[in-house]
Amino acid sequence: MHPAFSVIFLTTLIGVGQGLFLALVTGQVYSLANLLQPQDSVRFYAQGSLLALLFLVAGLVASVFHLGRPERAWRAAARWRTSWLSREVIVLPLFMALVALYGGLHWLGWTEPWFQVKGVIPVDATLVVGVLGALAAFALFGCTAMIYASLKFIEEWHSPFTLVNFTLFGIASGFMLAAAFSAWSGTDLVAFYGTWAVIFTLAAGVGRLLSLRRNARLQHKSDLQSAIGVRHNRIEQKAQGFMGGAFNTREFFHGRPAAVVKGVRLFFLVAVFVLPPLLLGASHWLASPWLPMAAFVMQYLGLVAERWYFFAEARHPQNLYYQSMA
Amino acid sequence: MEDPAARSDRAQGRVEVRNTTCYMCACRCGIRVTLRDGEVRHIEGNPDHPHNQGVICAKGASGIMKQYSPARLTKPLLRKEGAERGSSEFEEISWERAFEIMEERLGRIRREDPKRFALFTGRDQMQALTGLFAKQFGTPNYAAHGGFCSVNMAAGLIYTIGGSFWEFGGPDLDRAKLFVMIGTAEDHDSNPLKIAISKFKRRGGRFISINPVRTGYSAIADEWVPIKPGTDGALLLAIIHELINTGLYDRDFLVQYTNAAELVIDDPGREDHGLFKRVEMHVEEGCFDPQNKLWWDRELNIAMGTHTPGCDPRLLGEFELEDGTPVKPAFQLLKERVEDYTPEWAEGITGIPADTIRRLAHEMGVTARDQKIELPIQWTDCWDNDHDTVTGNPVAFHAMRGLAAHSNGFQAIRALGILMTLLGTIDRPGGFRHKAPFPRPIPPCPKPPKGPEDVQPETPLNGMPLGWPASPDDLFVDEVGEPVRIDKAFSWEYPLSVHGLMHNAITNAWRGDPYRIDTLMLFMANMAWNSAMNTGEIRRMLTDRDENGEYRIPFLIVCDAFASETVAFADLVLPDTTYLERHDVMSLLDRPISEYSGPVDSVRIPVVEPTGECKPFQEVLIELGSRLKLPAFVDEEGNRKFRDYPDFIVNYETSPGSGIGFLAGWRGKGGEKFLKGEPNPRQWEMYARNNCVFHYELPRSYQYMRNWNRGYLEWARAHGMTRYAEPITLHLYSEVLQKFRLAAQGKWPGKQPPERLRKRVEQYFDPLPFYHETLESRLVDTQAYPLNALTQRPMAMYHSWDSQNAWLRQIHTHNYLFVNPRTGRASGFEDGDWIWVESPHGKVRCMARFSNAVEPGTVWTWNAIGKAAGAWGLSPRANESQKGFLLNHLISEELPPCESGEHLSNSDPVTGQAAWFDVRVRLYKAGDDEPATSWPQFEPQRPLPGQTFRKPRWQAYVAGRFGRIFRRNR
Amino acid sequence: MTQLALVIDLNVCVGCHACVTSCKEWQTSGWAGPLTDVRPYDKDPSGTFFNRVQTFEVGEFPNTETVHFPKSCLHCEEPPCVPVCPTGASYKREEDGIVLVDYDKCIGCKYCSWACPYGARELDEKQKVMKKCTLCVDRIYDESLPESERKPACVLACPTSARLFGDVHDPDSEVSVAIRENGGYQLMPEWGTRPANHYLPRRKTRIQIFEDELVRADNPLRKEAPLPAAEGDTLDDVAF
Ligand SMILES: Nc1nc2c(c(=O)[nH]1)N[C@H]1C(S)=C(S)[C@@H](COP(=O)(O)OP(=O)(O)OC[C@H]3O[C@@H](n4cnc5c(=O)[nH]c(N)nc54)[C@H](O)[C@@H]3O)O[C@H]1N2
Ligand SMILES: Nc1nc2c(c(=O)[nH]1)N[C@H]1C(S)=C(S)[C@@H](COP(=O)(O)OP(=O)(O)OC[C@H]3O[C@@H](n4cnc5c(=O)[nH]c(N)nc54)[C@H](O)[C@@H]3O)O[C@H]1N2
Ligand code: SF4
Ligand code: SF4
Ligand code: SF4
Ligand code: SF4
Ligand code: SF4
Ligand SMILES: [Mo]
């Protein structure tokens, strides 16, 4: 497939936003359970939510570039019964609203507990919204991933790995951002978020390596024999019907040499899974607020490359019809 | 959106529907053009047209993009004072000025020496008019594309069976059981052929294609027989060998309808050696092939007049006549000729296994013999035998330029004609069928002029510019046997060059051999590109100057509809209309679209207004003819006779009161006559009302066996289609060729060849078909140039003229050289690499595409996709010029010097057919440091004044809105 | 239920592209038009077409088959392109099974094109909406056309009549008969899309010639054999 930057940014940016939100909620739950120091509502949760929202909005903006007719984007909610894209289009704003609400409640300081669970955990409005938001975040991971995973003939994508990877990448990068955010805001959660970020990153790494292995071994169901219905093991295309390119050759091919694709893979493996944990580790020793930020930036760049590779790696069966011209 | 199922297209805008005839190619299908608000909405095949029966092709359906092409010429143009020819610097002039220039110049030439005006026309369809103009002007220097196209096909078969493939006849696929197609990629009758092949296959017919390449039609053949180019003669002769040796020939057919049993004098010492023994008999004046010959009767063992009732002649044997003359039946001579042409011999030459050759022969012979067709149609032959049925042997052939475009093509095509004859398949159901006005006498009657005295100032040419020599005395040569025509047609170099040698016109005129000319007029011919051999040099010749600083070809007039490569070289450019903008006729005087069932002619009637100042060339000729006072165009007082072209078409008669004109339909005062009859002032209307086509269906009994069908022949004579009603005996043995050979041997009382050509004429004018290597292969080092390079017609492009078509050019934007992977790897490159293709005459750089559908000794490309930068309204960066290439740069228009002369055309020595497909090449990988563009490149051609040149980033055609979209976009 | 479709006979398709440009021509000014061309007179011209003809080579020289292969939207019975469309712009008509795009609803998200395994959809570069073969829905019901012309433009154009049009659910239709009798098949059956369009494979005709057919009594060579001349004595010479 042709890696479209709009989609690459959409999926990676909202993933970060989702992950960051999940990190905030996790932090809040931890502190409610007295496992962490409580944080300042405004400075940490409200600003953190704003940051998450910024990423989500940026993702939304990027997505607009993907649409031929963005002015009609509202129509996209129509087919939620059948279309994962439609569902994403519904869940994304819903999630964003919850994030905004969550941040807003924190900002307004509406943290009066409504009731206590088991007598120890005070439940306030922010927690309720936070949990709902977390559910929405997971739903959104599901929708986004299913857009790809549900296309059964794009076999690189049609696997649980897609779901797992999208989710773990989002969470890992979100926690990474949370760590960076903590470092930036001077809160004491760098180690907490950093640890989880490393754990999620490593989990995502395992998932991605497994999916890479799966895809490398993939036996595609379709071949030229089934594509044109001729039984012979030596079929070669000579002409595809046009020579100056068409939608079919632009949308479904990355058009880069194999070396570039391999290079991108190496880059994202290092940038996503190796360098950020190292940087975080180093920050632990060096206590520099810049290193977690560098770790996030590095991981995000790696994720962009990963998403590029995700598209480039996917071989659409239509490509069987577009291999040679004359 | 509105409900598409409830929408009617005809409710959108102001809709008009008009019939006319397509000219996106020479197939000439009937089309229906729908206009919306005056713009072309769509063009579809006319379902009521006999030719294409409603279907259309890729080109035809893209007519819109031709009509509104940015390459259109819209203004008459004159090369700017002082501007170099070829630099595309023109000023717009008025038509009046253009006519003044031509009138002055041509008038002077006609008064001084008419042959200094040369008119050559390319892929046009109005040779009847252009030929008439040339003849009236008095110049012999006229020809159309035939000589560089397929004259071998025309001459080879017409001199053998009185008709031919190409536009003169074809395979009867409705009834054939076996169809053998040789060397055909697309051909002129492309839509009818496609219709027929598909019906044939659906009926379960067997289809074999003999071709070095498997594409297009060959793709759907049941069997593909890959052959080495230029060797079909060997294959056909080996098949003939096998058929004769196994007795798989139609003996009755040979006896009755061919000269197989006729006795040939067999005494090399005699002056009349190799001629038929003729006896005293009444012979109609002017008849070339009278019936005064002999058979050898089997029973009585004596010679008898041919067709003597009750006589069953021998086909084999040698006999002595009463006067002691040793004679042999022609068939005996044929048998002797093919004795050594065994399938094993042919295998070594053609690359086709001997077993395959034998099997092919058996399939043909057995199918012809055992699957006889009998139709309940009564007819009477020329010898008064009544037949209750028409029978046929259902083996049909079709062949085109794969045979024709080689310098040994004439003899190979003779062999094909003889093969079809042996199988008994001429004008019979399931075999070859003629199309009116064929069959014609062998050879047809029109003759070229006979010498320089036939060209006189202010006088029409004495003879036809093109004709059919029947003996050396018909050649158009001076007293020392040298040519009178600029292209040397009808000279001893190419005696039967019945369509001229347009491909040598520019070189000869440039060299001044045989003389220099003043004005060259090109109509619808892209001679500075794809119809030139040696294109780079030809382009140089067009701009070359003599010692006095004058252009060696002083004045060049080009009439074209588009900014072709040739237009850039013009001194005067005449912008033509498109086929949708003009009246036109596809006349029986020319090459009509006749059906097997009878003559058909058709017309074009304008469906849109001419663009800009475009003027139909037809009108230009009528106007010029009137201004120059050419007799056919003016009355006795010298006043203009015809208002315009439509008026000319209605009122012109071949001679006063002949009743024969350009159109055969609805003649007579009220349109009640056909073929012959007085002019009908409402003829155009009647064509318009009848789908622009006139189809005269012959009575069934006249539809077959027309060479010998008394009823048909008399009908044809009565209706002015032929001059004689004599039977047209098939020339298994060609006495015509033997006469030229005798002349070369010094045994002919009349014209004799110059010394240097004696051997050549003697060798190639063999009365029986023989195989020889192509001339090029004989003269170049075939070890150093081991491969044959070919071109093929792409179905979705017409020659050079469709690159201006936004839709078609997306299908063929540039071209590759197709190479068998074995050949490519052996030459050191891979699929997709840039390579050099080098012939002894030049080289080109292009991209290679590996293909298993080509014989390893052959490389090929689609014809004329490569373009000169900037031509055809395209950006100079367009793929056509940057990645596309033209094979013509590799092909020489002249042979390397040899014992027969220095400047012989690279053509068949009998007919002057351009030998496009003889070229030999070698391949090697281009250097990695070389630019990834094709070579040679030429200075980009600049847009011309009046050319609606636009380079939109995008375009979205919607009829009725096109103009607006463009304006917004500019 | 009706399912209209094309059946393409590879046995007679010569790859002429008539169906390609006649489709473009009809559609560009029709309901589903315009079909934009990009860089029409420049480098790498490109454009929207609903139908393309491709060429494949099967086998190795000299046993090569050249297969011309026209491809347009197959109007799948289980069209994966339809449910994925978030706007409902892509839809399959109940009444005849034609899969269409409503340009007024389409947001140009291209998701449907990803969901089509056949590469049958093209985003129009200028209008930025998804386009594809409409099975000439604006022709086949147009009652102002004569009955015989209420067929897709490509079907009417095809010189070899390699394109049949009709209802594949009606067992007696020309298309169903052709599929049944000539081994009609679907593309990429492995995805369960159940394309309505079918393809008919190459069919070969061969001739078998037996040895004895070459040596028959009616062989004309027998007529040419010289009459056996009497040599030496015969009974006529010696017997009474
Ligand atoms: N679409 C389209 N149609 C056209 C034209 C066009 O440009 N485009 N041009 C028109 C014109 S002017 C003409 S003359 C006709 C020509 O019609 P065709 O005769 O069909 O023309 P070519 O494409 O030259 O085809 C020649 C074929 O002969 C094969 N061949 C070459 N050498 C040999 C050989 O030695 N032996 C055998 N057996 N085969 C050989 C080639 O591979 C090729 O398939 O087409 C007409 N129709
Ligand atoms: N290498 C190679 N070269 C070949 C061949 C080959 O097989 N291989 N084939 C040869 C053959 S068979 C032929 S017939 C020739 C054809 O050669 P040409 O006759 O030279 O070729 P065309 O490209 O048809 O171009 C004729 C010109 O007619 C113009 N034209 C088109 N429509 C009109 C119109 O309505 N009015 C006017 N006035 N002009 C118009 C076009 O713009 C073009 O400039 O090519 C020959 N060249
Ligand atoms: S075959 Fe030639 S005449 Fe017929 S529709 Fe096509 S372009 Fe027109
Ligand atoms: S029009 Fe017919 S023969 Fe031509 S490519 Fe299309 S399907 Fe094949
Ligand atoms: S071919 Fe593709 S676009 Fe057409 S219905 Fe099937 S899946 Fe949809
Ligand atoms: S591109 Fe248009 S038709 Fe396709 S899925 Fe998106 S909205 Fe639907
Ligand atoms: S059915 Fe209509 S839209 Fe579809 S390919 Fe044929 S002509 Fe084009
Ligand atoms: Mo030609």
Side-chain angles (χ1 to χ4, degrees), chain B residues 112-417:
Chain B
E112 290 164 4
D113 183 3
K115 69 176 183 301
R116 289 168 59 82
F117 168 62
L119 169 60
F120 286 94
T121 82
R123 266 282 15 144
D124 70 312
Q125 302 169 335
M126 41 183 281
Q127 292 170 38
L129 177 61
T130 48
L132 174 74
F133 182 88
K135 181 181 158 82
Q136 292 286 315
F137 187 92
T139 180
N141 292 325
Y142 163 81
H145 65 278
F148 58 55
C149 183
S150 315
V151 62
N152 265 345
M153 183 53 68
L157 281 184
I158 290 171
Y159 275 90
T160 305
I161 62 172
S164 172
F165 297 117
W166 202 354
E167 290 145 299
F168 317 115
D172 178 14
L173 294 184
D174 280 350
R175 297 196 191 264
K177 302 252 164 67
L178 175 63
F179 175 42
V180 183
M181 176 176 261
I182 310 175
T184 309
E186 172 72 339
D187 205 355
H188 294 82
D189 247 10
S190 45
N191 272 338
L193 196 54
K194 285 172 191 134
I195 297 171
I197 291 178
S198 118
K199 283 197 191 146
F200 173 78
K201 280 203 65 165
R202 289 223 165 99
R203 277 205 337 271
R206 177 162 159 80
F207 172 18
I208 297 173
S209 171
I210 300 171
N211 199 312
V213 189
R214 181 169 209 176
T215 55
Y217 303 145
S218 303
I220 61 168
D222 295 301
E223 181 174 348
W224 173 43
V225 182
I227 187 171
K228 283 202 193 331
T231 68
D232 302 74
L235 170 69
L236 294 164
L237 288 164
I239 293 176
I240 292 174
H241 168 102
E242 185 66 15
L243 287 179
I244 293 181
N245 283 3
T246 46
L248 283 172
Y249 52 85
D250 186 338
R251 184 178 194 281
D252 295 342
F253 185 83
L254 289 179
V255 166
Q256 278 300 315
Y257 304 123
T258 79
N259 63 18
E262 292 175 0
L263 300 177
V264 178
I265 299 162
D266 183 38
D267 180 355
R270 285 170 60 154
E271 299 273 303
D272 53 1
H273 169 64
L275 300 182
F276 286 109
K277 179 70 187 175
R278 305 257 174 190
V279 291
E280 290 298 316
M281 197 180 114
H282 167 74
V283 173
E284 197 176 344
E285 165 71 26
C287 177
F288 308 120
D289 191 21
Q291 299 279 301
N292 53 359
K293 291 171 280 178
L294 296 174
W295 282 350
W296 193 269
D297 187 78
R298 250 160 53 94
E299 299 296 323
L300 303 176
N301 226 7
I302 52 166
M304 277 186 193
T306 62
H307 296 95
T308 304
C311 173
D312 184 17
R314 278 197 180 280
L315 285 178
L316 294 175
E318 42 191 293
F319 314 99
E320 206 177 281
L321 297 180
E322 271 172 9
D323 64 3
T325 310
V327 291
K328 284 179 180 171
F331 193 71
Q332 171 69 32
L333 295 171
L334 178 67
K335 183 169 190 299
E336 290 169 14
R337 165 55 48 86
V338 298
E339 209 57 66
D340 296 333
Y341 291 143
T342 61
E344 281 70 20
W345 164 82
E347 169 172 342
I349 294 170
T350 60
I352 304 170
D355 283 345
T356 307
I357 298 176
R358 252 186 220 104
R359 180 172 51 76
L360 290 175
H362 298 166
E363 284 194 23
M364 293 172 193
V366 172
T367 308
R369 183 194 63 195
D370 291 353
Q371 312 231 13
K372 276 222 159 28
I373 299 170
E374 200 166 339
L375 304 179
I377 299 172
Q378 289 188 340
W379 66 287
T380 305
D381 68 28
C382 289
W383 303 278
D384 279 337
N385 304 310
D386 291 326
H387 302 261
D388 289 336
T389 58
V390 164
T391 55
N393 307 337
V395 181
F397 290 81
H398 187 70
M400 259 303 277
R401 297 185 62 252
L403 283 189
H406 289 288
S407 58
N408 57 8
F410 177 80
Q411 289 291 356
I413 288 165
R414 278 263 303 146
L416 174 64

Side-chain angles (χ1 to χ4, degrees), chain B residues 476-491:
Chain B
F476 192 13
V477 288
D478 63 17
E479 53 298 337
V480 293
E482 295 297 343
V484 184
R485 283 175 57 111
I486 187 74
D487 60 1
K488 307 193 185 181
F490 307 112
S491 75

Side-chain angles (χ1 to χ4, degrees), chain C residues 57-79:
Chain C
E57 282 177 13
V58 179
E60 220 158 328
F61 180 85
N63 300 312
T64 319
E65 291 282 335
T66 302
V67 177
H68 298 296
F69 181 80
K71 177 169 71 70
S72 50
C73 169
L74 309 168
H75 298 278
C76 302
E77 302 208 33
E78 301 288 343

